[in-house]
Amino acid sequence: MTAVERSSAQTIEGLSIGEPLAAGNGTKVAGPISVAARSLGAMEKGVKLSAMVLPGSHEILRLDVKWQERPVGVPAYFADFKFGVTTLSAISSRFGSKGLLNAKVPPVQAKQGYLSFVSSYEVKNSRLIVSFTTRVDKAALAYFRNIQANDLYDQVADVAVLTSISIANRDEFAERAGPAVADVGYKPIEWIASSADAVPKRIPDLSRVRLSQLPVARIYTGPNNAPDLTGRASVFQTFASRLSERMADGPDYAGEYAIVRVPCGRDCVDVFAGNVRTGEVFRFPLAAQRVPALKLQFSLKSRMMVAQWQETVSQACVVQIFDFENDEWIELFKHTIGSSSLCAKSLKANLQP
């Protein structure tokens, strides 16, 4: 393998395909092994890192990063992709195709009540294959039972979110996945390293956060339309009554949206933004992941959505700020403000100086 094929940009937690696994980073030399020294740091980021190595030389053949489902929005080591946020449709749109279709690795897999999609691409100027796995959660799957197989991909592409990423030596991938057929429009992709940790983020003064900082251009005053639960939004059919009732009351967020809250269990609430002008319905990303102790702050005159929630593993209290523009949730800021006791307080109290 040449230096180009082992480009340092194609690394995860400092590990590269083709490089030997350093002593102390694992106890086995055959089959998948846990990368102990590296995974400790990775686990703090909400992911688990593992490797496949060649017996004897310990050369790394494959690196796998699996999201542990918390927290939402963890950088996925590639460009601006984020675990639990980046969707299957975003991946296929970015690369212009669904990727490689392999004989031994079905592009759609049903396992443990989930539906997973594997999208694999060759990396330009290398002998590497990168694979992105996205998944539809159990709750959403119930609404796809009657969908024809030919329509399944298009129907779930907007709700299947990124859960793992893998980089593999092309030979290892071919042996494991079998012969490949490229999707229409397929071409190798450029590897773009994530820059999430390159520059420390400046932590703003939360007491200076104002919803008025993201004003809307206008406020809709026309008739309140019922939710359109066809196509992409068909997975929300179970919430049709609640969506209809709330949207009939008019907008209370971002000029033309009604925020709809639906209880989903103990200390759990599902949240949707229903456009009373068009009928379109959008799920709030944190609600889709069932984060506990979720509290929201928003306004009819602002696109800003401020969320407070509790980290499942660390029990820390987190404040996260989103902009909702052109029907897309954009994360602007995320910061741990302290222990779980702070999440018992209101957002207003935690945003005060």
Side-chain angles (χ1 to χ4, degrees), residues 104-120:
K104 296 181 183 179
V105 180
V108 184
Q109 302 175 34
K111 185 184 297 183
Q112 298 178 335
Y114 296 97
L115 194 65
S116 298
F117 296 79
V118 180
S119 308
S120 300

Side-chain angles (χ1 to χ4, degrees), residues 136-186:
V136 182
D137 64 28
K138 297 178 183 179
L141 267 184
Y143 309 107
F144 293 106
R145 290 174 180 170
N146 298 323
I147 295 177
Q148 297 298 316
N150 291 340
D151 299 327
L152 185 61
Y153 186 98
D154 292 334
Q155 292 287 337
V156 304
D158 287 332
V159 294
V161 295
L162 185 63
T163 57
S164 71
I165 181 173
S166 170
I167 306 177
N169 171 282
R170 186 180 298 177
D171 294 334
E172 187 277 336
F173 179 84
E175 182 177 349
R176 171 169 48 92
V181 176
D183 183 34
V184 176
Y186 172 84

Side-chain angles (χ1 to χ4, degrees), residues 38-269:
R38 299 291 182 173
S39 72
L40 288 175
M43 283 299 290
E44 294 174 1
K45 302 173 184 177
V47 300
K48 183 178 181 180
L49 173 64
S50 62
M52 173 77 79
V53 301
L54 190 66
S57 67
H58 297 193
E59 176 185 328
I60 299 174
L61 299 178
R62 187 173 85 238
L63 292 169
D64 298 297
V65 181
K66 294 185 178 180
W67 179 49
Q68 303 301 289
E69 300 190 12
R70 298 288 187 277
V72 175
V74 177
Y77 298 92
F78 181 89
D80 56 354
F81 285 10
K82 295 180 180 179
F83 288 120
V85 175
T86 300
T87 63
L88 175 60
S89 62
I91 293 172
S92 58
S93 294
R94 181 167 193 145
F95 301 136
S97 77
K98 300 173 185 177
L100 298 172
L101 307 178
N102 296 89
K104 296 181 183 179
V105 180
V108 184
Q109 302 175 34
K111 185 184 297 183
Q112 298 178 335
Y114 296 97
L115 194 65
S116 298
F117 296 79
V118 180
S119 308
S120 300
Y121 303 86
E122 297 165 295
V123 178
K124 285 183 180 180
N125 302 318
S126 76
R127 289 186 56 78
L128 302 180
I129 304 289
V130 59
S131 299
F132 303 95
T133 300
T134 52
R135 191 179 72 186
V136 182
D137 64 28
K138 297 178 183 179
L141 267 184
Y143 309 107
F144 293 106
R145 290 174 180 170
N146 298 323
I147 295 177
Q148 297 298 316
N150 291 340
D151 299 327
L152 185 61
Y153 186 98
D154 292 334
Q155 292 287 337
V156 304
D158 287 332
V159 294
V161 295
L162 185 63
T163 57
S164 71
I165 181 173
S166 170
I167 306 177
N169 171 282
R170 186 180 298 177
D171 294 334
E172 187 277 336
F173 179 84
E175 182 177 349
R176 171 169 48 92
V181 176
D183 183 34
V184 176
Y186 172 84
K187 59 183 178 180
I189 68 172
E190 296 278 0
W191 177 268
I192 305 174
S194 172
S195 59
D197 299 320
V199 179
K201 293 183 178 179
R202 175 179 174 269
I203 299 175
D205 181 354
L206 289 179
S207 67
R208 300 179 66 180
V209 173
R210 299 287 184 273
L211 296 178
S212 58
Q213 291 169 325
L214 291 176
V216 295
R218 63 184 181 278
I219 295 176
Y220 177 70
T221 58
N224 298 323
N225 290 298
D228 178 2
L229 300 180
T230 60
R232 171 193 57 79
S234 61
V235 291
F236 307 145
Q237 284 283 355
T238 190
F239 310 114
S241 295
R242 180 64 185 130
L243 287 166
S244 297
E245 291 171 3
R246 176 62 196 87
M247 290 173 66
D249 292 334
D252 60 355
Y253 172 61
E256 58 187 29
Y257 297 88
I259 294 300
V260 186
R261 306 172 198 243
V262 182
C264 52
R266 182 182 176 184
D267 199 22
C268 173
V269 61

